[in-house]
Amino acid sequence: MYHPWIPNSDPEIKKSMLEYIGKSFEDLVSDIPEEVRLRRPLKVGFGRPLSENEIEILIDKILSKNKVFIDPPSFLGGGVCMHAIPYVVRYLLLRGEIYTAYTPYQAEINQGLMQALFEYQSMLAELYGVDIVNASMYDVSTAVAEAFRMAMRVSKRRGVLVPRIMNPFIENVVRTWIEPVGGFIIRYEITESNSIRIIDSVSEKEVGGIYLENPSFLGEVIEKPEIIGEYARDKKMLFIVNAEPLSLGILKPPGEYGADIIVGNGASLGVGLNYGGPSLGILGIRMDQELLRQLPGRLIGFTREADGSGKGFAMILQTREQHIRRERATSNITTNSALEAFAAAVYLSYIGDKGLRRLGESILRRTAYLRERIESDLRDRAEIASKARLFFREIPVRFLRRDYREISRELIERGIHGGFYIGDLISGIGNTALFCVTEIHSRDHIDLLIRSLREVA
Amino acid sequence: MWRQARWDEDLIQRKPRYGSGPLIPYEDEFRDVSISIPENIIRRSHTGLPDLPEIEVVRHFIRLSQMSYGVDVGPVPLGSCTMKYNPKISDLISMDTRITYLHPLQDPDTVQGILEIIYTVERWLSEITGMDRCSFQPPAGAAGELAGALMILKYHRDRGENRDEMLIPDSAHGTNPASAAMAGFKVIRLPTSSRGTVDLDALRSVVSSKTAGAMLTNPNTLGVFEDEILEISRIVHGSGGLLYYDGANLNGIMGIARPGDMGFDIVHLNLHKTFATPHGGGGPGGGVVCARGSLVDYLPRPLIAYDGRRFYWDYECKKCIGRISAFYGNIIPVIRTFIYIASLSSEGLREVAEVSVINTNYFIKKIMEKPYYILPYDPQKPRKHEVVISAKKILSDTGVSTEDIAKALLDRGLHAPTIYFPLIVEEALMIEFTETETRESIDLYAKALIEIAEEAYRNPGILKKTPENTSVRRLDYVRANHPKTLAPSLKILRSLGENI
């Protein structure tokens, strides 16, 4: 056969190469024992190689079975929401020199990629109010898992305090990553008198870290995050804050209320939803030698040419990493989300300081508008399932008359994808769904949702 | 003479400020909605972001891209990384908004298309590996290894056995010991014999009732097929351990031999290697973890399922290790895998393996025509997807190191191979062309390596000064890592008073 992706599959070329080697192909694989040789064709594909045009038709047919909610955009929340992906980001992402590059092990030939990653690290560090952000994690859940493992290593204690309602998708992953090595999580809540109450019984001596989601899984903006920062300092625990990057144009960055380790979901920074992945996990720390030694993942640092002249960038502190340190590494991560970090760097450069502030404020207003409409127009049908005063992007809505899962199906029949049902994920919250509004939701979109809910809820 | 672009491109944060950012959809429609943010949580500090018109953003990142190098620019024969051509049809189709805009929590009835693709790819990958089921949860190969190690841990615990030792060859990828350690295992190092394969006597001497399993890749990182794999399997299984397959090197045997037929119980694959997904400068990857027999119960959930009418996610998890990442893993590489396999079909996948093996052995013959490089471990044994050669003779004769050779390759517009790995080979150069390089580019690469060796004997000083044709000359790595000058962000750079 000849296939254009395999140039030397041209029978003439292949033959002449084997002649040069002086062996047949069978000679080259003669060391593979006969018992493990596969002597039949693999049962894969569609019987023969398909041309591009055939693939295009096939894929189009399959993808047309997906329903994409763009107008109105879906109102699904749950920690990830639909956002605009600027065309600038999509365009630049496909630059072959970046898109098809490997990890920049050879710094001199990959300066552009490394400068972009350094810019990513720098922008995210300032956005979160910390000093150092690594060059990316797979997604927010694995970033939180690694942050917990870091807290366990640094504090030499196995427990981490988490809020009474924690993002369950993150929690599931964290449990998988920490429990086999003895790690555990315990719940806390902030009381009316602004103190921290540990819900499960545990000795504080076993607790190495305290974790906050801001906004919370329910979209609540935490009004006094500094209380947890003070508590952590007092109890010598590491304070881990997971904050949504798009909120940080208007809300105080975690570093300013005491975070030692910051975590974030970079999916909203031009990365897209991609049915859950690829995504982008943000992980950073305040400057501290011990934290730095324990930080997993790749780091790009500034340097100069060997003769002291021009500026340059290089991967640094690789002795923490698995390819050098092997079983004593801080983590096993090697492939990360560099391309998504590049996308985020482009996105943040495009949106800018002023843009991010306007965007954040606009999302706050939209969330407030959705809340107002629910409270005024759906008074007899639904209520806000939280006492918080301020919500960012997501809002929990408890339905009073009908099962939300039925409501959701009827909305979909009308071309609207409603919020995400969390009744079976969060105990005691009832018949509740998380509704998300972002910059792509217009007033008409929200009004349409409310009108439809009046009819089906 | 090849020259890479060298723009004197400032950090984007330091560019002149303009305007007030992009247009935000429907921004005016909500101006009348009042919000009150408590004073103590309002941001007062600068966000650290630039303010630029769109054209300046584009120019900046285009210039940066011109100072970068990927497979679309030239060969990147990084051993064990499988840097093959990434088909452009996949690049563009994977940007379809019917993929990128799909929310992971969408009602399953509205995502039947994507689920169908995932279902199909799972069946194909099970067939290629000889496993029963696969989970796409791991977002990269190392996460697949972690999943595999956790599966092994749980399997033994469920049987009431306390096995805490993981056997890993000294030639293995660093991720293997790191993943095993993350799962809490003690790592036992397996030495490599003079044949370039696992030393069976050493293996026999370390297996015990403490052995949880062994993590191997086959072909191994030397490019050598572990021809005693069935005996290895008997020894490990005989002790009650499990066999884990690191799929990083699958490219050289696809359609020729399957891990399942060799006795492996768990397999991870890297879609971003074998199945032509670009590495994106270091990620995203696409990790898949597959298992057979009773190990299927331990795979991370959810698994894709089909009831004859519709596709859905099956969350049932009686013995499973839980979740490795938040949703279903990295789905775009799965779509790219679908396109790749559809285009190649069975005969094409086998051709991938054949040509990558031929390319490797063709290169070996070329490079061994001259006396400079050494092929360690049984030179008569054919290599598979890659080869490791040593430049130790060049170093001892001339003082020119493998790193110098790597930098000299950059000067010729060729990406360096993986160097100083595996650790068991002195002055190692680990080279993998994959099936997508032409004969001419292999010729060119061998010629460049030989010319550099000749230069080393003629004028070693010149090689110490390379590269000259890249965007920057050789960098100061000591300064980059020194605690006093270490600067992983602009904020720290400013605090050091660095004038850039």
Side-chain angles (χ1 to χ4, degrees), chain A residues 14 16 20 40 43 65 67 80 102 108 113 131 256 303 305 311 317 336 353 358 365-366 443, chain B residues 9 20 25 29 33 45 47 68 103 110 116 127 279 282 351 369 407 439 473 476 481 489:
Chain A
K14 201 164 142 183
S16 73
Y20 173 75
R40 61 165 176 86
K43 290 180 219 118
K65 296 174 194 166
K67 168 98 180 102
V80 278
Y102 197 70
E108 293 82 0
L113 169 63
D131 304 294
E256 290 180 22
T303 189
E305 285 170 319
K311 72 171 163 51
L317 301 180
N336 56 8
D353 173 73
R358 280 169 36 228
R365 286 186 199 282
R366 284 170 221 233
R443 201 161 176 137
Chain B
E9 186 65 15
S20 56
E29 292 181 0
V33 180
S45 55
T47 58
S68 289
H103 192 291
T110 68
E116 182 179 334
E127 161 75 356
H279 288 52
E351 195 70 23
E369 273 178 355
K407 301 302 179 196
R439 179 173 56 185
R473 282 167 292 172
D476 186 344
N481 285 290
S489 70

Side-chain angles (χ1 to χ4, degrees), chain A residues 371 374-375 378-386 395-401 429 431-433:
Chain A
R371 178 192 189 152
I374 291 165
E375 285 176 340
L378 299 177
R379 185 183 296 273
D380 49 345
R381 291 173 169 77
E383 63 187 18
I384 307 299
S386 159
I395 197 157
V397 184
R398 187 182 293 127
F399 289 86
L400 307 173
R401 292 187 178 179
I429 198 145
N431 187 26
T432 301

Side-chain angles (χ1 to χ4, degrees), chain B residues 373 405 408-409 412 447-456 463:
Chain B
Y373 298 91
I405 296 168
L409 281 167
R412 289 164 163 79
K447 187 161 165 268
L449 277 168
I450 289 166
E451 278 173 10
I452 292 165
E454 284 165 352
E455 182 83 62
L463 292 174

